[in-house]
Amino acid sequence: MAVKKSLLLLLGAALLLGGALPAAAGAPYESYLYNYWGDAVPAPDAYLPDKAVTGCDLGIGSFAEPSDVAVSPAGEVYILDSGNKRIVVLDREYRLRRVLESFDNNGTKDGFQGPSGIYVDGEGLVYVADTAGKRIVVLNAEGQLQRIVDNPQSDILASGFQFLPLKVTADRAGRIYTVAQGVFEGLMQFDEQGRFIGYIGTNKVRRDYREYIWRLFSTDAQRAQGVLFVPTEFSNADADYKGFLYATNIDPNSTVPIKRLNPSGEDVLKRFGYNDVRGDLIYRTSVGPSKMIDIKFIGDGMYSALDATQNRVFTYDDEGHLLYVFGGKGNQLGTLKTPVAVEKLGGDRLVLDRGRASLVVYKPTFYGAAINEAAALHYRGEDAEALGLWRKVLQLNSNFDLAYIGIGKAYLMEKNNKAALDYFKLGSDKKSYSVAYKRYRREMMKEHFGTVLTAAASAAALLAALKLAATWRGRRGRDREANLH
Amino acid sequence: MKQTYIKFPLHLIFHPFDAFWDLKADNRGRLGVAFSALALTALAMVLQKQYAGFLVNNFDPRYMNSLMDILAVVAPFFLWCVANWAVTTLMEGEGKFKEIILASGYSLVPIFLIYLPMIAASRFMVQEETSFYYLFNSIAVAWFLLLLFIGNMTVHQYSVVKTVATMALSVVVMGIIVFLGALVLSMLQQLADFFVNMYRELIYRT
């Protein structure tokens, strides 16, 4: 009896403890997606935190207020350690490669005075926005000075204009785009010689009707004292391989905080998803909507944006469908305190956390990697190859609408219209459903046209015959009554 | 049977001035027809949410509640009849309550006559053709409103302006009825609460 009792106790304890043990390495944040109805639905983790790289780990003293990070095509990670006025370069495995503290400026030793933005272009040139130095410094991969862009001259700049670049990016042609402090006309654009060309992509001012009516009734003096309505500034920009600029702004009420600017400055971002490309759709009013402070073009149409409200990274595909969300507020590995920049190195995503002076490395899970690959294949038009991947994604997350749409598109390519219809319905994609239905309907009509027409013709013939018979019989009856027979 | 249930309502929707007068003067309307029309309209609303084609169906199936859909047709109908009767009685309308129900019920005929086939047709539509779905449904509603207007005018023997005025007033009165109803309900609730609390106080007194 006593043995039985102790066994039972043991079993109970095992059950209790078993429940308390960590099941698997989970993320310290909750992953989710927004569905067709705009609800946040749970999703598997697409990215999991792998490690955090700090200055102490590298043995160079902790980072002080790091403000930006960039990755070179060779896979080197450039961390802009603003407080220490240096650039820390890491290799692919996040080990220290070198530290850039100064450069040779025409024979004199020069350093950064207060840098806040860094970018590395396709040829490995390093662009540093030295805000306090009022200049953009361009170095080559070895840290030798290439040129300095400062003191822009133009008729459209006000006299006494202070050039305070915050963030910088460059396209393949070597044109430099910078987000400058106090400049609300758009991004400042410089040609390859460093001459100021003009502004690109001005944000629009939205009319506030309440303010408008209020102003109608106020005196000139009151109007002069009122707030100025100027466009919001961009917060960051990233050039893609085609020379289009992905730019973010932090206008709190904008439904288009992420823009893709073409060379003439128009927003050409595709927003074909059923929800706005604006990060969180559901938020508490006290916290406010997502505030996008950095953007990174991933490749194959995908881009990741960093939200400073909830410290999350939102990744979208080229058509504006949300792919996955990771990150969050907190002090654990993987959650962020004050994130300032997002980058990618191979499949990894890097987020620079200024608050904890560390670079957090996220690695894709099986689920995340499958989404990345499938979205890339879809972007290249290889839907048939993406089919198997979307199926894998669906096995892990049956709430992922985009996977249903992806499978539907693959079937549509194969002219399997009936199957495509079902999948588009599951993915709530009305536009594609309509296309598939049009084809399916034509197919059905072609197939059954003969049958239907034969049936209709024979029915008509039968009816006519019956009617004829009836009139004939009636006439004969009448004739008989009239004794004509 | 066929005459009252099918032929007359169909005649009415195409010749409303004559038919509404026949309905009033010759006593040709039947409450059974009016309530059948109401039931069919409610059915059309329920079926529309459930069976309209994917491209035109923007209803979240998780919130499907057919009882509420039926109530959303039936309750406003009777509310309208009561409000209209209340207003027209004060404004020298000649219609009796039964005639108001008849006129309103018969006016609903085009709604389900168009809605029901459109539900079936919408399942065979592509995106470009869905505008026809919306067009026909709008026609149904416009037709219903026109019939309601003519019915009201004929039943009460009003001029056009007076009909418009009474109809607008009826809508206002509908709001007032709902407001008073909610008020009474909340008062009764508080009253009940009061007595329940008093009872509790008494039994806990020692």
Side-chain angles (χ1 to χ4, degrees), chain A residues 168-469:
Chain A
V168 63
T169 189
D171 65 10
R172 269 208 310 198
R175 277 187 294 265
I176 303 172
Y177 304 91
T178 177
V179 175
Q181 201 174 313
V183 171
F184 45 80
E185 288 95 336
L187 295 164
M188 291 182 83
Q189 190 181 8
F190 296 88
D191 68 8
E192 47 273 44
Q193 268 86 47
R195 284 181 305 235
F196 176 61
I197 309 174
Y199 297 110
I200 183 167
T202 314
N203 287 313
K204 285 199 181 69
V205 182
R206 270 170 305 112
R207 183 166 285 204
D208 183 348
Y209 286 98
R210 209 176 54 181
E211 194 67 31
Y212 184 77
I213 293 166
W214 190 246
R215 285 196 161 215
L216 281 179
F217 295 105
S218 47
T219 61
D220 283 343
Q222 281 172 328
R223 263 178 237 172
Q225 276 192 344
V227 281
L228 270 176
F229 287 92
V230 293
T232 49
E233 297 167 38
F234 282 106
S235 54
N236 222 317
D238 189 29
D240 73 3
Y241 67 100
K242 281 179 179 167
F244 285 72
L245 285 172
Y246 285 87
T248 51
N249 64 349
I250 50 173
D251 187 351
N253 298 312
S254 171
T255 54
V256 287
I258 298 171
K259 290 190 172 109
R260 184 172 187 240
L261 305 171
N262 68 6
S264 56
E266 284 160 72
D267 179 19
V268 292
L269 191 76
K270 288 185 193 167
R271 297 184 179 90
F272 297 160
Y274 18 69
N275 295 315
D276 286 335
V277 181
R278 61 179 298 197
D280 275 320
L281 304 171
I282 304 169
Y283 48 83
R284 278 165 292 168
T285 33
S286 57
V287 178
S290 298
K291 205 169 99 186
M292 298 304 181
I293 53 160
D294 194 16
I295 188 153
K296 176 66 194 170
F297 175 68
I298 303 296
D300 291 311
M302 289 180 273
Y303 49 94
S304 287
L306 179 64
D307 157 34
T309 307
Q310 293 292 346
N311 301 353
R312 288 177 184 140
V313 177
F314 293 86
T315 304
Y316 293 90
D317 75 354
D318 71 307
E319 289 167 350
H321 295 106
L322 185 60
L323 295 176
Y324 42 78
V325 182
F326 63 88
K329 275 184 171 175
N331 279 314
Q332 287 170 280
L333 173 65
T335 52
L336 306 156
K337 212 168 163 190
T338 320
V340 286
V342 60
E343 256 299 338
K344 74 146 212 164
L345 174 57
D348 296 3
R349 295 286 189 282
L350 319 173
V351 178
L352 187 64
D353 189 348
R354 176 189 284 162
R356 286 165 63 203
S358 67
L359 181 75
V360 187
V361 180
Y362 294 88
K363 289 217 180 285
T365 60
F366 177 78
Y367 169 74
I371 293 179
N372 282 340
E373 209 179 322
L377 285 170
H378 173 58
Y379 177 72
R380 294 183 216 133
E382 294 161 17
D383 282 304
E385 284 81 356
L387 184 67
L389 286 164
W390 285 131
R391 284 202 190 287
K392 271 186 205 165
V393 170
L394 274 187
Q395 278 174 359
L396 294 163
N397 180 11
S398 57
N399 285 330
F400 197 36
D401 290 346
L402 191 62
Y404 290 110
I405 299 170
I407 293 176
K409 283 185 176 159
Y411 279 137
L412 198 62
M413 289 282 190
E414 290 172 16
K415 298 205 166 67
N416 188 349
N417 298 325
K418 180 80 185 84
L421 273 182
D422 295 340
Y423 275 97
F424 285 139
K425 205 168 191 174
L426 284 168
S428 307
D429 185 349
K430 298 201 169 178
K431 214 168 159 185
S432 306
Y433 178 91
S434 177
V435 172
Y437 188 71
K438 200 182 237 172
R439 293 186 189 177
Y440 176 65
R441 198 174 60 175
R442 193 186 302 143
E443 209 173 81
M444 283 292 113
M445 284 210 277
K446 258 186 199 163
E447 200 174 310
H448 298 297
F449 186 69
T451 333
V452 170
L453 212 64
T454 314
S458 29
L462 198 72
L463 241 106
L466 280 174
K467 212 164 188 177
L468 212 68

Side-chain angles (χ1 to χ4, degrees), chain A residues 62-79:
Chain A
S62 52
F63 299 140
E65 303 274 310
S67 58
D68 207 355
V69 62
V71 173
S72 76
E76 286 182 324
V77 183
Y78 289 72
I79 300 172

Side-chain angles (χ1 to χ4, degrees), chain A residues 70-74 76 78 100 118-128 137-147 168-176 192:
Chain A
V71 173
S72 76
E76 286 182 324
Y78 289 72
L100 298 174
I118 190 167
Y119 179 77
V120 182
D121 74 2
E123 284 144 32
L125 290 179
V126 184
Y127 299 77
V128 182
V137 179
V138 186
L139 308 171
N140 66 10
E142 282 74 47
Q144 284 150 345
L145 183 71
Q146 296 294 303
R147 60 179 191 268
V168 63
T169 189
D171 65 10
R172 269 208 310 198
R175 277 187 294 265
I176 303 172
E192 47 273 44

Side-chain angles (χ1 to χ4, degrees), chain B residues 7-175:
Chain B
K7 282 207 169 151
F8 183 66
L10 285 180
H11 169 72
L12 178 134
I13 61 174
F14 291 109
H15 307 90
F17 285 101
D18 299 347
F20 274 121
W21 177 249
D22 289 349
L23 183 140
K24 185 181 165 68
D26 298 351
N27 204 15
R28 292 190 60 184
R30 293 284 172 276
L31 276 180
V33 181
F35 289 141
S36 305
L38 183 64
L40 280 168
T41 308
L43 182 74
M45 294 300 176
V46 171
L47 291 182
Q48 192 185 38
K49 282 194 176 153
Q50 176 78 52
Y51 292 110
F54 173 64
L55 293 176
V56 293
N57 200 337
N58 294 314
F59 192 74
D60 189 344
R62 291 172 300 176
Y63 300 104
M64 182 86 71
N65 186 347
S66 297
L67 285 177
M68 286 314 285
D69 294 340
I70 293 171
L71 205 65
V73 175
V74 174
F77 178 83
F78 285 108
L79 202 58
W80 162 262
C81 292
V82 171
N84 191 255
W85 174 77
V87 172
T88 51
T89 310
L90 293 176
M91 293 179 69
E92 293 147 3
E94 290 180 10
K96 300 181 202 120
F97 187 62
K98 187 189 164 191
E99 285 165 6
I100 293 169
I101 289 186
L102 286 177
S104 309
Y106 276 76
S107 306
L108 286 169
V109 170
I111 296 236
F112 66 80
L113 274 189
I114 294 179
Y115 267 44
L116 289 172
M118 284 322 284
I119 293 168
S122 71
R123 299 180 72 86
F124 301 99
M125 283 176 174
V126 297
Q127 195 99 59
E128 298 90 315
E129 294 153 11
T130 54
S131 22
F132 286 104
Y133 173 81
Y134 296 116
L135 175 72
F136 278 105
N137 283 2
S138 312
I139 289 175
V141 172
W143 198 346
F144 156 69
L145 289 176
L146 185 73
L147 287 181
L148 194 66
F149 172 77
I150 296 172
N152 230 274
M153 199 160 80
T154 317
V155 161
H156 298 302
Q157 292 294 301
Y158 278 160
S159 66
V160 171
V161 179
K162 203 168 179 186
T163 314
V164 173
T166 46
M167 283 176 85
L169 263 177
S170 301
V171 173
V172 173
V173 170
M174 277 166 82

